[in-house]
Amino acid sequence: MSPDELRALLERVRAGTLDVAAAARSLEALPFAELGYAKVDHHRTLRLGFPEVVLGQGKTAAQIVGIARRLIEAGENVLITRVSEGLAAEVHAELPELRYAPLARVLTHEHRPILLGTSAPVAVVTAGTSDIPVAEEALETLRMCGVPAERVFDVGVAGLHRLLARLDVLSAAPAAIVVAGMEGALPSVIGGLVGTPIVAVPTSVGYGTALSGLTALFGMLTSCASGVTVVNIDNGFGAAAAVVRMLRARNAA
Amino acid sequence: MSPDELRALLERVRAGTLDVAAAARSLEALPFAELGYAKVDHHRTLRLGFPEVVLGQGKTAAQIVGIARRLIEAGENVLITRVSEGLAAEVHAELPELRYAPLARVLTHEHRPILLGTSAPVAVVTAGTSDIPVAEEALETLRMCGVPAERVFDVGVAGLHRLLARLDVLSAAPAAIVVAGMEGALPSVIGGLVGTPIVAVPTSVGYGTALSGLTALFGMLTSCASGVTVVNIDNGFGAAAAVVRMLRARNAA
Amino acid sequence: MSPDELRALLERVRAGTLDVAAAARSLEALPFAELGYAKVDHHRTLRLGFPEVVLGQGKTAAQIVGIARRLIEAGENVLITRVSEGLAAEVHAELPELRYAPLARVLTHEHRPILLGTSAPVAVVTAGTSDIPVAEEALETLRMCGVPAERVFDVGVAGLHRLLARLDVLSAAPAAIVVAGMEGALPSVIGGLVGTPIVAVPTSVGYGTALSGLTALFGMLTSCASGVTVVNIDNGFGAAAAVVRMLRARNAA
Amino acid sequence: MSPDELRALLERVRAGTLDVAAAARSLEALPFAELGYAKVDHHRTLRLGFPEVVLGQGKTAAQIVGIARRLIEAGENVLITRVSEGLAAEVHAELPELRYAPLARVLTHEHRPILLGTSAPVAVVTAGTSDIPVAEEALETLRMCGVPAERVFDVGVAGLHRLLARLDVLSAAPAAIVVAGMEGALPSVIGGLVGTPIVAVPTSVGYGTALSGLTALFGMLTSCASGVTVVNIDNGFGAAAAVVRMLRARNAA
Amino acid sequence: MSPDELRALLERVRAGTLDVAAAARSLEALPFAELGYAKVDHHRTLRLGFPEVVLGQGKTAAQIVGIARRLIEAGENVLITRVSEGLAAEVHAELPELRYAPLARVLTHEHRPILLGTSAPVAVVTAGTSDIPVAEEALETLRMCGVPAERVFDVGVAGLHRLLARLDVLSAAPAAIVVAGMEGALPSVIGGLVGTPIVAVPTSVGYGTALSGLTALFGMLTSCASGVTVVNIDNGFGAAAAVVRMLRARNAA
Amino acid sequence: MSPDELRALLERVRAGTLDVAAAARSLEALPFAELGYAKVDHHRTLRLGFPEVVLGQGKTAAQIVGIARRLIEAGENVLITRVSEGLAAEVHAELPELRYAPLARVLTHEHRPILLGTSAPVAVVTAGTSDIPVAEEALETLRMCGVPAERVFDVGVAGLHRLLARLDVLSAAPAAIVVAGMEGALPSVIGGLVGTPIVAVPTSVGYGTALSGLTALFGMLTSCASGVTVVNIDNGFGAAAAVVRMLRARNAA
Amino acid sequence: MSPDELRALLERVRAGTLDVAAAARSLEALPFAELGYAKVDHHRTLRLGFPEVVLGQGKTAAQIVGIARRLIEAGENVLITRVSEGLAAEVHAELPELRYAPLARVLTHEHRPILLGTSAPVAVVTAGTSDIPVAEEALETLRMCGVPAERVFDVGVAGLHRLLARLDVLSAAPAAIVVAGMEGALPSVIGGLVGTPIVAVPTSVGYGTALSGLTALFGMLTSCASGVTVVNIDNGFGAAAAVVRMLRARNAA
Amino acid sequence: MSPDELRALLERVRAGTLDVAAAARSLEALPFAELGYAKVDHHRTLRLGFPEVVLGQGKTAAQIVGIARRLIEAGENVLITRVSEGLAAEVHAELPELRYAPLARVLTHEHRPILLGTSAPVAVVTAGTSDIPVAEEALETLRMCGVPAERVFDVGVAGLHRLLARLDVLSAAPAAIVVAGMEGALPSVIGGLVGTPIVAVPTSVGYGTALSGLTALFGMLTSCASGVTVVNIDNGFGAAAAVVRMLRARNAA
């Protein structure tokens, strides 16, 4: 509820056209739909600028179907992340309009595309081939928010020339999402080469002292390059959401 | 060295106005000044858009003086972070033109201000009073990069009404730096209320299971609010540098 | 054995109506039934006010059946927690009187309900949909101890208005069990809004830096809200048991 | 702001005795005093039932003095925890009415005592002599909230008979705060002997694998006794605050 | 090779009855049988007093069969630990003389029993039912070394009276093996009650902050009872081996 | 209180020579002296076979003096461990009869020596020179319990010949205490060479990945030599106490 | 691109035989083949002296086939590590010329053997039988680089005589790869006995405090023997690659 | 004792020129000097090729003086590492012939230089200025072993051009020691550019998630560049010792 809406509501109370008890209820409860096991938030698009995103992991197929159906009925777009192939099949049987991207492991429904202002494509970079699924989750999220993007894959620091060949894309991008596992050095190197905003995504790729992504995470956080920010391990969605926040603020300006 | 500069250099080689050996040397070595213990980077401003920043921690007073003097001679601005009061006094004795901000623990020299395009002020938020030094480090960095900022201090989640009273500042800001120790919940809450780009800074404030800031860090990374990004513990400088990247990309667009 | 019982026993020794050897045995061994692999404790209800609770995890079906049968024969209620669906089926085949709650993963047998004094319902709160199984374990435990409860589900901090709409339930409750994974910020926020006793339960919901629930746990322990207490990760039973202790002490007063 | 106050405010708007703009401001901002570096919360006593508590650690003497002075001017009681002897002296020089308890390391000002309903004393238990400072922090907090308490010190599990001699106090208490470092086994043992609500406080007492209190903490959380709850390492204040929540809820009932 | 054997060998060299080259080879290589993937040690019984023990985990069935066959051919007893049911079946098909204890998960072959001097039985204690498999591994090892033992199961600290009823067995034992998971408090309590040598075995029983046995381990190591020693998590074999060392040293004295 | 004493007490009750109330008090409270901040245990020598040991760390000089004075008055020996030089001076000023061993950092008072049966000396072994203080704490403890011991210092695995030269001492000892920091490999090597009971003590010697002794601890616990047991990091006292338990059990047999 | 090649290229620009735009492209992009999901590096052999190595783990069969096919077409040798049996079968169906070593879990294709200068065989040592798969990965890598090697298996520190019998091989080797799990003490012991370059490989063999290889890793890093270097847990390939670097540098000298 | 010496000794026994008892003693005890608190190893130079190195940390000045004096008397070179300025002064007062290098924190005595065969200088590289002390420890060690070296300082990945300007030195070196803190990415980058043997040294430079060097360590171990090996955090000495092993093996070949 925006400050303007608040003032309008109070004016109606003053004018006597709105009952005091009703006004109190309105002030206490912003709109959401109660499903018992979930409260679907219909105002999130207005508030934060991207669709209600559902984390599929840890939910049953029935719960996902229930939430997605409610969103579709409300005319909203749907993005469900971290959906295994088996779970996707179960959900799809109930809601065939959902599209499954197996590499990214997301289910989407594109009812009304959000159109952002035009911009150069966001660079989505990976250090290796095994980091691609996380990058694809980011790419699907960007697509659902109407943000153009370009893939720059397998340019890890053990072969710097592969990276240097693509520096122009990175320099021109309004933001770069840099996905890397193992020692996670790629964002440091890119951060030292270009001034582009960089969101680093550590991945759980690697074994032993890769510590399921913690080593890449900590390496990115202690990066000797200035101004690199980081999201959770394997969180391609979160990195894309951060970029959407940046581009929306920019468009708003 | 930009692609344009590269092409210009090669044209000169082709035209015979540049010697091959000299060109090879140029291509191998971008300009920096060799101090023996440090290589001062005179092109960083062009490349990344902020001054050469010196991490004071772990350097001797003599090393800091040497680096700062070289930068001042080159007509550049200087920002030295994590300088204890004692170390600052030693450096100041040699270079009285440096200004010390004791709360932020930074030394600065403002030779030529970088002027960014005008924007609404960046919000710099703290959960508690003890988080203020980290916020001040961010504020000094923003100041050195010509970015206006506004303080929103002591609005932690244990007293939500203090935060709600300042939501307008947060909504209008082109970006928010949110500094919090202990459980680090504040960025999650703000991220759910406004669509502004948020850079979260965990601090080492707290004891026991605060684990010197790791708990705040992990809490911020697993935030249930979408698109919050994080920097290293107590790294106010890094958060400001990330915001500078965003604003520069925006001005470039 | 209460101090009164001790004195009574000693009086019988003094009066000569109790043999010294028998008295020594009584003093050494309070009553329990020896099953070889387990010692079933028939006096726990008297001592602590809730039924003998069996942790199903790590036990064979035969062991669970043996312990439950002994308790049923003694006329006691039974609560067996952390029973997988497969294990429950095996046990059920032997003891069909046991009831299985699949979401909560508990087996119960309600022979004689414990009736506590009437009170407002305990609030059982979850941050998200994935936290519900842990909340259900708490709810089943409360039910077995005769404590009324009310569900307040999916009110995490990323959508604060959903929580604010239910504050009245939380304020009126004699205690609140707050179940949250990921960054675990919900108990902090609730603890700052109401003065109700709060038992926080971290869950293993989340990935990467959620660290299987450790991040939520540490966040809750470093909560900036005063007087929030915490139990083990995913320990819905333990949180309910803590509330039962509170309500019994209150009824005793 | 309570629901009743909200309704009253809205009635005034409807009646025209309150200006719409003023009402909007009231709804946005609950009362607190802005000190720049801190926002002092004058409604906390009403909301949560205990005084504004100030964590001294990480604050300068000037900041503590500023906050305490504002509270005293508002006629409120003051409790400042984790104040080292040196810091206490600095603060005392400015505000001689504050009383310092060196063992508990707290500063207090008792302007108007909060009187709770009468009850049996809360038991404050320690495993060893080195755990006493944490217990004293809890005792000071209880005192400031008007809760009677009784010391049961140095009754660790390596000499069980010392504990058994004091079981009557533990059984009769409305709640017990059990403070233990090293392996932290004492709450488990007590939790198996009495049905009293137990708040366990791990301490950083011990060396090597005591891991600065983490071992005691984890031991308490995995306690085989049901319904033991835990607070942060060395957090005597938090344990007392939890007990105050319990007793207030009980008095309210 | 004992010092006596060394002297004897050198006397033979001096006397000319042993060739210098042969003596050099003997000194370099104490006897073992080379299998390529393993070197079976035929002198361990003499050196350390228990049979060559084979850790089954991480070995193929073929490797286990090869090692066991070589030992049997040499007339030695065999003890193979950490053998899953499936692996045991594969090995048994080749070597039907091996006996499998499914609870303890060990394979044994008793060719010639080692007879220790008579003693009171060693107490093998568990805190709960789920700790029994680890205790059984210890019991099988003791049996293979001819050491009598007595089971004291399910006497954890949440029901102290169950333990107190068996104190006589613990007092009389030449050593006690105390097996406990979760918070691992049992060895502390027993160590404060009796002066018997205690070898504590943490188990991986428990969830969440039990941390797969690390919490029990650290708790036992920081035990406030003096002189409790600890072995690796779930290492029933190691605890028994420690007791065998004690009893052999005692018999030697 | 032994079972015999229990029976005697009950006989007196039956015979009417002991009052019931007095008997109840006796049963509830085994003898200890209450100092307020500590409960001094006068029966520990009988129960566990070594003197009341006081952990100096974390206690004030006044508390140590109070406890030591009470023990001296009761005619008991005193052993106070982990006493820094400064603290020792403060205590000594009050109780000049206490003797300080600066390397071992213990205060002792030898009023009546405990005489154990004669045995070969216990071997106290260190890997390096820096491990000696921990070994000396063990040696002082053994001395206070009347156990002869022999030093075998600086025989770490990087120079195996130094160890092999002293194997005879290790073989003949009734037990060996092996003190090692860094990688903690020495107990593994010794455990493979001799059948002697081995108590390993990890030390905090080393830097970086030595992790303040955790690496040595974990290495010792995963030792590939059978039957090595371990105590807490730097816990020389605990290792000695474990050996005393062994020798007392042996003498009792 | 070598400095010589760079000069040659620039000469061609000067001479006008190379177009400026083409030269710029060459300078930006050293040769690699773009597969979309991977960039195959055809110059690695020249640059680093071993074939392009593919980490199989985390890649699909289709991706591995694509990369391997490209390398085979380019006439290069292929080494693919960490390939499970199932994945190997899938790849083999497409590329039957690849050879699978099941113990080492690698796929290789030997098109043109790299011949190093002759040397004594590299010693590949294991502490136990379970460490052999890691050693075999190293051996396959050495074979693909033309380096002779000798197996010294199952010589762990619990039976030192087995090691001493093979010291001659270790002394003569140009380098030793020492593979050990559990406490990882073997490299320390070998490092104290011979002056050979030692690359230590910790393995994930062991349970409990072996911590999946971290204990062996940390033990090796804190080794009291000088000059032992370490690679990642289970990284047999990496150890072999380190040895190849040494031998190539030696041949180059 | 070499195999040849062993055979010679045995020949003397056979010839009767050496007494059996004396021979046994020789075989048991290779030469070292017993100081009580340390055993100085006079044969290490022969065995491992570098002088007896003394870790100063954790030793008293008296112990260091005692060990150094014994080595000097034996005509050996001395290298004492990790000596603080204060400790160095104390030692120097007793042994003025020792030379102190304050940046490297080592004491040396160069009695007879070890001369290795000539080679190109070893490259000693640092990422930043704060890593220099660790590099200097390596340089002092190399100097004491007669190995030429060249400094390549402050070439971290945030300014890659500084590194690329020095690639020729790295390519030509027989080995490179790469010292880096923070995210520790430098060895990965260098390992991808040159085929030189690389020993990586993580440093404790950095704060927060640098985790006192663990992040750099883990990053180096999971390096995506093949064949990089690692030593302990801040262990400049160990890296140099590893290089000495390589160069000695190479000279021996």
Side-chain angles (χ1 to χ4, degrees), chain C residues 159-208:
Chain C
L160 270 183
H161 56 290
R162 300 184 295 200
L163 170 65
L164 298 175
R166 303 296 299 278
L167 266 193
D168 52 342
V169 174
L170 288 165
S171 294
I177 292 172
V178 184
V179 183
M182 301 173 94
E183 87 273 56
L186 190 55
S188 278
V189 170
I190 294 178
L193 290 169
V194 300
T196 310
I198 294 170
V199 180
V201 191
T203 69
S204 50
V205 168
Y207 59 87

Side-chain angles (χ1 to χ4, degrees), chain A residues 155-245:
Chain A
V155 296
V157 298
L160 270 183
H161 56 291
R162 300 183 296 200
L163 170 64
L164 298 176
R166 303 296 299 277
L167 265 193
D168 52 343
V169 174
L170 288 164
S171 294
I177 292 172
V178 184
V179 184
M182 301 172 95
E183 86 274 57
L186 189 56
S188 277
V189 170
I190 293 178
L193 290 170
V194 300
T196 311
I198 294 171
V199 180
V201 191
T203 70
S204 51
V205 168
Y207 58 87
T209 53
L211 296 177
S212 308
L214 285 173
T215 291
L217 169 68
F218 290 148
M220 289 166 175
L221 286 165
T222 51
S223 170
C224 53
S226 306
V228 171
T229 64
V230 186
V231 296
N232 195 1
I233 296 164
D234 292 336
N235 191 3
F237 161 71
V243 167
V244 172
R245 283 182 183 260

Side-chain angles (χ1 to χ4, degrees), chain B residues 186-241:
Chain B
L186 189 56
S188 278
V189 170
I190 294 178
L193 290 169
V194 300
T196 310
I198 294 170
V199 180
V201 191
T203 70
S204 51
V205 167
Y207 58 88
T209 53
L211 296 177
S212 308
L214 285 173
T215 291
L217 169 68
F218 291 147
M220 289 166 175
L221 286 166
T222 51
S223 170
C224 53
S226 307
V228 171
T229 63
V230 186
V231 296
N232 194 3
I233 296 163
D234 291 336
N235 191 2
F237 160 71

Side-chain angles (χ1 to χ4, degrees), chain H residues 72-96:
Chain H
I72 290 169
E73 286 165 10
E76 298 199 44
N77 287 344
V78 180
L79 174 60
I80 311 170
T81 62
R82 308 206 151 229
V83 184
S84 68
E85 218 153 319
L87 189 57
E90 281 185 77
V91 172
H92 204 261
E94 295 290 319
L95 289 172

Side-chain angles (χ1 to χ4, degrees), chain H residues 99-183:
Chain H
R99 198 177 74 102
Y100 185 58
L103 202 53
R105 298 195 306 148
V106 306
L107 282 164
T108 53
H109 177 70
E110 218 172 325
H111 186 89
R112 51 163 205 212
I114 299 173
L115 294 177
L116 280 189
T118 56
S119 74
V122 168
V124 179
V125 186
T126 77
T129 303
S130 307
D131 301 315
I132 292 178
V134 175
E136 290 293 333
E137 188 184 270
L139 285 158
E140 283 289 305
T141 304
L142 291 175
R143 188 178 62 77
M144 287 302 289
C145 298
V147 179
E150 177 157 356
R151 286 168 175 80
V152 183
F153 284 178
D154 196 27
V155 295
V157 299
L160 269 184
H161 56 292
R162 300 183 297 198
L163 171 64
L164 298 175
R166 303 297 298 278
L167 265 193
D168 51 343
V169 174
L170 288 165
S171 294
I177 293 172
V178 184
V179 184
M182 300 172 94
E183 86 274 56

Side-chain angles (χ1 to χ4, degrees), chain D residues 101-114:
Chain D
L103 202 53
R105 298 195 306 148
V106 306
L107 281 164
T108 53
H109 177 70
E110 219 171 325
H111 187 88
R112 49 162 205 212
I114 299 172

Side-chain angles (χ1 to χ4, degrees), chain F residues 36-57:
Chain F
Y37 51 83
K39 294 185 174 49
V40 180
D41 187 347
H42 291 309
H43 277 221
R44 189 184 291 257
T45 306
L46 287 177
R47 215 162 68 242
L48 303 183
F50 31 79
E52 173 88 4
V53 181
V54 183
L55 179 69
Q57 193 178 26

